[in-house]
Amino acid sequence: MSVKGAVMVPHPPLIIPDVGQGREKKIQATIDAYHEAAKKIASWKPDTVVVLSPHSIMYADYFHISPGKGAVGSFGQFGAPQVKIQVQYDTQFVDTLCREAEARDLPAGTLGERERRLDHATMIPLWFLNHYTTDYKVVRIGLSGLPFSMHYMLGQCIQKTAELCEKKIVVIGSGDLSHKLKADGPYGFQKEGPEYDKRIMEVMGSASFDQLFDFTEEFCEKAAECGHRSFLIMAGALDRMAVEARRLMHEGTFGVGYGICTYETKGRDPERDFLRQYEEKIRQAAVQRKVSEDVYVRLARQTIETYVRTGRKISVPEGLPEELYEKQAGVFVSLKEEGKLRGCIGTIAPVRNNIAEEIIENAISASARDPRFRPVQPEELDKLVYSVDVLGETEEIASKEELDVKRYGVIVSKGRKRGLLLPNLEGIDSVEEQIAIAKQKAGIRESDQKIRLERFEVVRHF
């Protein structure tokens, strides 16, 4: 008993006739493919259906698994309260999955429920499935802000749980594609939108799940995708399995991408261990970075590796360039993991005796004291990508026209509120975005125009 198959499906509410009121006919291809996918699930006769939902409870650093014996939901918020879906949860599967995740130090469980009612990303695929079978239990899992690899790892836990519970399961990766396919769509147009849909349908249509890791966080954000993390968990549930993939459809009639694929398992395939391959790729890249990193980054890395492993702060080492001992400057240390920010702490102006001390203190803070993230763990060290920014002197400017998002960082001030954003950051393409983010960091309203602007240049070390 194990994973019988999986499906990738969208969740537009108007696809439900009582919601669409005829508009659903404009995406008839999606409806027809949805029915085909639902028939396929029913043919596998699953004991349990695991639904991965972008619209269930989502935490930055935790996967929420819905607790309790069951739940109900309706399409009332979409004007059709008479259409209801009720499910019985597989409590044995949930309990076993939580234990399996804990054994792998994966932050997942049933804590923190804020909304018991079923969300539409869960109900829509089950509405179609219920046309063909209702003889199944459900496990509902939300996504998180954790790295892509941890989503895939959760999928591996799902597969292992199915084996431990000796149950036939099907995994539903619920998720729309880009929400920015058309200028006249509800979310407008972004060039990354069609690019995302083309790439993701090539990946998912061929079950080339290793390529899911190649999408950067910045690219996914600009494309305004919805289901990428659902697809990663689903892929993890199919880890080391041979699958027969079928691409049923893709369309973007309303400016939002809808794609449907099915995956039927066909036994084991050890070559499809995509997480291990990805982690090996990350390790090799880390080795190459260490060879080419400059002395500033090497000092930050040595500081963090020592602190994370031992809790000890290193002393300023000998043999550094003289400028690190003699000069003072503000310094920011930034960490990324799998393309996603993992910590960033710095000082606008120098507060220590020299640049070396500034790097050491801020490196420790970036790894252990950034309030946005949990402290870096030893197993993450080989995945971290470091940069060290040494700030030049700041100068006040009269207007945003004196900024250049690639060349200058910006400091936005109002009274005692002060926010800083470094220059040349991936995903920040305009001065307006730069100022808006600096305002947000300072706690200044975006609409507030009575602000003080300063600019500065940096020397960035990799």
Side-chain angles (χ1 to χ4, degrees):
M1 301 283 185
S2 186
V3 182
K4 301 297 292 181
V7 299
M8 159 192 171
V9 291
H11 47 249
L14 62 79
I15 206 171
I16 306 300
D18 285 33
V19 176
Q21 296 290 315
R23 292 175 297 165
E24 72 277 6
K25 295 177 182 178
K26 294 182 179 180
I27 51 172
Q28 190 63 44
T30 299
I31 294 172
D32 294 342
Y34 227 128
H35 279 290
E36 186 175 348
K39 289 178 185 177
K40 175 62 75 173
I41 295 174
S43 74
W44 292 327
K45 296 180 170 57
D47 302 309
T48 300
V49 175
V50 179
V51 184
L52 313 170
S53 171
H55 295 284
S56 182
I57 299 166
M58 181 172 177
Y59 290 100
D61 57 357
Y62 182 76
F63 294 103
H64 179 77
I65 305 169
S66 293
K69 295 182 178 180
V72 65
S74 80
F75 289 90
Q77 63 176 322
F78 305 106
Q82 71 277 14
V83 182
K84 297 180 179 180
I85 301 292
Q86 185 167 1
V87 302
Q88 182 181 0
Y89 287 141
D90 187 334
T91 56
Q92 179 201 14
F93 195 99
V94 169
D95 291 344
T96 307
L97 177 58
C98 290
R99 289 195 298 271
E100 185 64 24
E102 183 179 9
R104 296 190 62 166
D105 291 324
L106 192 66
T110 57
L111 300 176
E113 183 176 53
R114 296 196 302 263
E115 176 57 75
R116 180 171 293 275
R117 290 175 297 180
L118 297 177
D119 61 277
H120 71 278
T122 299
M123 291 190 292
I124 290 169
L126 298 183
W127 183 88
F128 279 93
L129 180 57
N130 287 349
H131 284 72
Y132 306 100
T133 181
T134 56
D135 187 20
Y136 60 89
K137 292 183 179 180
V138 169
V139 174
R140 180 171 64 139
I141 303 176
L143 312 181
S144 80
L146 291 165
F148 286 172
S149 62
M150 297 183 79
H151 286 75
Y152 193 98
M153 190 184 299
L154 180 60
Q156 291 176 316
C157 292
I158 291 169
Q159 181 188 123
K160 181 65 174 179
T161 300
E163 295 170 358
L164 292 171
C165 293
E166 298 185 340
K167 291 188 175 181
K168 295 183 294 182
I169 75 163
V170 171
V171 179
I172 296 178
S174 181
D176 298 337
L177 308 185
S178 172
H179 285 65
K180 294 194 173 183
L181 298 182
K182 294 183 177 181
D184 60 352
Y187 304 96
F189 175 80
Q190 187 84 14
K191 65 181 180 62
E192 287 82 1
E195 292 173 10
Y196 178 85
D197 273 36
K198 182 176 185 297
R199 283 181 62 189
I200 197 65
M201 289 307 298
E202 289 172 353
V203 169
M204 301 304 289
S206 60
S208 301
F209 299 141
D210 56 320
Q211 297 179 36
L212 286 169
F213 296 109
D214 296 336
F215 291 70
T216 67
E217 292 275 357
E218 290 80 9
F219 177 73
C220 288
E221 185 174 344
K222 287 189 173 183
E225 57 77 26
C226 170
H228 201 83
R229 288 168 173 79
S230 288
F231 309 151
L232 277 155
I233 299 174
M234 185 188 73
L238 299 172
D239 185 60
R240 291 171 295 175
M241 286 186 169
V243 298
E244 179 183 298
R246 290 191 61 210
R247 171 177 166 160
L248 300 185
M249 59 73 57
H250 170 263
E251 62 181 342
T253 304
F254 299 112
V256 178
Y258 306 140
I260 297 180
C261 298
T262 63
Y263 309 93
E264 184 167 6
T265 58
K266 298 293 183 178
R268 309 299 296 181
D269 184 350
E271 298 299 315
R272 291 177 63 83
D273 57 343
F274 297 132
L275 181 59
R276 185 201 62 78
Q277 295 173 26
Y278 174 67
E279 290 179 336
E280 180 58 30
K281 182 178 176 182
I282 291 294
R283 280 191 289 270
Q284 291 177 3
V287 170
Q288 292 300 314
R289 282 196 306 274
K290 289 179 182 179
V291 171
S292 60
E293 68 188 8
D294 75 4
V295 67
Y296 290 75
V297 171
R298 187 177 304 121
L299 179 58
R301 178 176 59 79
Q302 291 173 344
T303 298
I304 289 174
E305 289 182 351
T306 300
Y307 186 80
V308 170
R309 289 183 174 129
T310 69
R312 181 177 61 85
K313 182 176 78 172
I314 67 171
S315 301
V316 175
E318 297 179 356
L320 301 176
E322 288 301 314
E323 62 185 28
L324 273 78
Y325 300 118
E326 296 177 354
K327 290 185 178 180
Q328 290 182 298
V331 170
F332 273 75
V333 176
S334 301
L335 313 176
K336 281 192 171 184
E337 182 177 343
E338 299 183 33
K340 189 179 180 67
L341 186 67
R342 185 63 180 85
C344 180
I345 295 290
T347 44
I348 297 174
V351 296
R352 295 172 182 91
N353 294 322
N354 53 47
I355 291 176
E357 290 185 9
E358 211 82 39
I359 291 174
I360 290 171
E361 293 292 340
N362 292 339
I364 291 173
S365 293
S367 67
R369 300 169 188 154
D370 188 328
R372 296 169 294 179
F373 306 99
R374 65 191 180 100
V376 169
Q377 302 300 304
E379 60 270 18
E380 297 179 88
L381 292 173
D382 285 343
K383 300 179 182 179
L384 296 180
V385 177
Y386 299 80
S387 64
V388 176
D389 289 299
V390 179
L391 278 59
E393 293 186 5
T394 63
E395 58 177 333
E396 188 168 357
I397 57 176
S399 70
K400 66 180 183 181
E401 281 67 34
E402 296 180 68
L403 289 171
D404 180 326
V405 71
K406 298 298 183 184
R407 179 180 177 184
Y408 295 113
V410 65
I411 301 172
V412 179
S413 306
K414 182 173 183 179
R416 294 183 178 180
K417 295 179 179 179
R418 201 177 194 201
L420 175 148
L421 196 69
L422 297 168
N424 198 24
L425 296 177
E426 190 172 2
I428 310 299
D429 299 323
S430 70
V431 167
E432 288 74 20
E433 286 180 277
Q434 192 182 35
I435 292 174
I437 295 171
K439 280 183 173 180
Q440 184 181 42
K441 293 174 73 173
I444 299 171
R445 289 176 305 192
E446 188 172 352
S447 60
D448 201 332
Q449 300 302 310
K450 293 181 179 180
I451 55 175
R452 179 174 179 245
L453 292 175
E454 297 170 87
R455 71 181 186 186
F456 58 91
E457 294 185 273
V458 305
V459 177
R460 179 161 294 161
H461 298 268
F462 296 98

